């Protein structure tokens, strides 16, 4: 028997609703563990009363964006192990973000390095898990990319907060977001870029460099030089992608005429 076309939107809405319920089931343990971990870290570090709230607020805001983009994960009915790992990374990044504005010591820097390294290493798991479970999607790829971008932003803020680099390091964390904003007045910037190993490598180098910059054992001139070099590398990577987009925009215009 043929399915009526009027039933198809209803079926799609039901799948999306089931997917969102599954996402909530995965996020709730992360939320509770983050609350407990933030409370423990806040007590050990003698941070302000807002520390735990900041961590939870960052995670909640990020998860709201996850829910908003979840339709791109359809027709998958399960959130999946890969996205569960990325949610865990998001919780760790929220914990790091809560340190911004707190009075910190060298011991706190080592804690940051440990948490940031864990968040970076977990990035190697989500891709294989998604492919193994047959749950790879545009949503998962975007979720992973935006989580990486948030990690770079938070690490840039911490490098400035710990005095390991000047305010210019914030350009590393803001570059991705400025690129997205620029695509509004110039929609051709939103064109899909071809897969690039160079882009992935630069992202890994940027994150690793910022983590090393937080190390108290690295002399200040060296941490600043490392941060500056990684920023230059990131800017060059963005410049290459923008040049590709400009070139293909011109080709499209020439073809249209």
């Amino acid at each position: 028997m043929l399915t009526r076309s009027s039933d198809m939107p209803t079926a799609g809405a039901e799948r999306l609703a089931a997917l969102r319920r599954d996402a909530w089931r995965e996020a709730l343990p992360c939320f509770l563990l983050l609350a407990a971990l933030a409370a423990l870290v806040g007590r050990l570090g003698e941070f302000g009363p807002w520390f735990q709230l900041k961590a939870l607020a960052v995670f909640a805001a990020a998860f709201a964006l996850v829910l908003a983009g979840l339709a791109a994960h359809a027709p998958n009915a399960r959130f999946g192990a890969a996205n569960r790992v990325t949610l865990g990374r998001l919780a760790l990044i929220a914990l790091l973000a809560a340190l911004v504005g707190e009075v910190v010591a060298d011991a706190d820097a080592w804690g940051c390095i440990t948490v940031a390294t864990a968040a970076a290493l977990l990035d190697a798991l989500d891709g294989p898990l998604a492919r193994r479970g047959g749950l790879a999607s545009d949503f998962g790829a975007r979720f992973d990319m935006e989580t990486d971008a948030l990690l770079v932003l938070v690490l840039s803020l911490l490098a400035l907060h710990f005095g390991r680099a000047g305010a210019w390091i914030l350009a590393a964390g803001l570059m991705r977001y400025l690129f997205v904003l620029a695509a509004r007045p110039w929609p051709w910037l939103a064109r899909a870029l071809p897969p690039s190993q160079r882009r992935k490598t630069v992202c890994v180098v940027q994150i690793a460099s910022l983590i090393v910059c937080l190390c108290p054992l690295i002399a200040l001139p060296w941490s600043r030089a490392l941060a500056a070099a990684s920023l230059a590398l990131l800017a060059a990577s963005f410049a290459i992608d923008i040049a590709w987009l400009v070139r293909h925009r011109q080709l499209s215009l020439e073809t249209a005429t």
Side-chain angles (χ1 to χ4, degrees), residues 146-232:
E146 297 300 345
T147 301
D148 286 338
L150 181 60
L151 179 57
V152 172
L153 175 59
V154 170
L155 289 175
S156 300
L157 288 167
L158 289 174
L160 175 61
H161 186 55
F162 278 90
R164 308 300 295 172
W168 45 265
I169 193 58
L170 296 181
L174 294 174
M175 206 172 295
R176 159 69 184 166
Y177 300 102
L178 292 174
F179 181 79
V180 171
L181 287 175
R184 294 194 174 186
W186 300 298
W188 53 270
L189 285 173
R191 179 173 181 165
L193 290 163
S196 169
Q197 188 60 43
R198 177 257 311 161
R199 201 178 302 120
K200 295 177 181 178
T201 301
V202 169
C203 179
V204 171
V205 170
Q206 182 67 65
I207 291 172
S209 299
L210 288 171
I211 291 174
V212 172
C213 284
L214 295 177
C215 180
L217 299 180
I218 305 297
L220 190 57
W222 287 106
S223 71
R224 288 178 174 171
L226 179 61
S230 64
L231 175 58

Side-chain angles (χ1 to χ4, degrees), residues 17-211:
L19 186 56
R20 283 176 175 161
R21 286 194 297 270
D22 197 41
W24 272 106
R25 282 192 292 269
E26 300 292 356
L28 187 57
C30 289
F31 189 85
L32 295 176
L33 287 172
L34 176 61
L37 187 57
L40 176 62
V41 172
R43 183 174 302 176
L44 293 176
E46 298 182 349
F47 299 136
W50 293 98
F51 177 79
Q52 185 183 33
L53 184 59
K54 286 190 292 183
L56 295 175
V58 170
F59 184 79
F63 183 63
L65 295 175
V66 168
L67 291 176
L70 204 53
H73 194 46
N76 296 313
R78 292 184 294 119
F79 195 62
N83 291 325
R84 187 187 309 138
V85 170
T86 309
L87 267 183
R89 294 180 62 218
L90 195 57
L92 293 176
I93 295 169
L95 187 65
L96 290 173
L99 282 170
V100 177
E102 302 293 335
V103 178
V104 292
D106 285 350
D108 300 319
W110 289 111
C112 281
I113 291 170
T114 302
V115 174
T117 301
L121 292 177
L122 285 172
D123 189 28
L125 293 179
D126 50 11
L129 284 174
R131 290 187 291 271
R132 186 180 303 173
L135 294 173
S137 67
D138 291 340
F139 166 82
R142 181 69 181 270
F143 186 18
D144 180 58
M145 180 178 64
E146 297 300 345
T147 301
D148 286 338
L150 181 60
L151 179 57
V152 172
L153 175 59
V154 170
L155 289 175
S156 300
L157 288 167
L158 289 174
L160 175 61
H161 186 55
F162 278 90
R164 308 300 295 172
W168 45 265
I169 193 58
L170 296 181
L174 294 174
M175 206 172 295
R176 159 69 184 166
Y177 300 102
L178 292 174
F179 181 79
V180 171
L181 287 175
R184 294 194 174 186
W186 300 298
W188 53 270
L189 285 173
R191 179 173 181 165
L193 290 163
S196 169
Q197 188 60 43
R198 177 257 311 161
R199 201 178 302 120
K200 295 177 181 178
T201 301
V202 169
C203 179
V204 171
V205 170
Q206 182 67 65
I207 291 172
S209 299
L210 288 171
I211 291 174

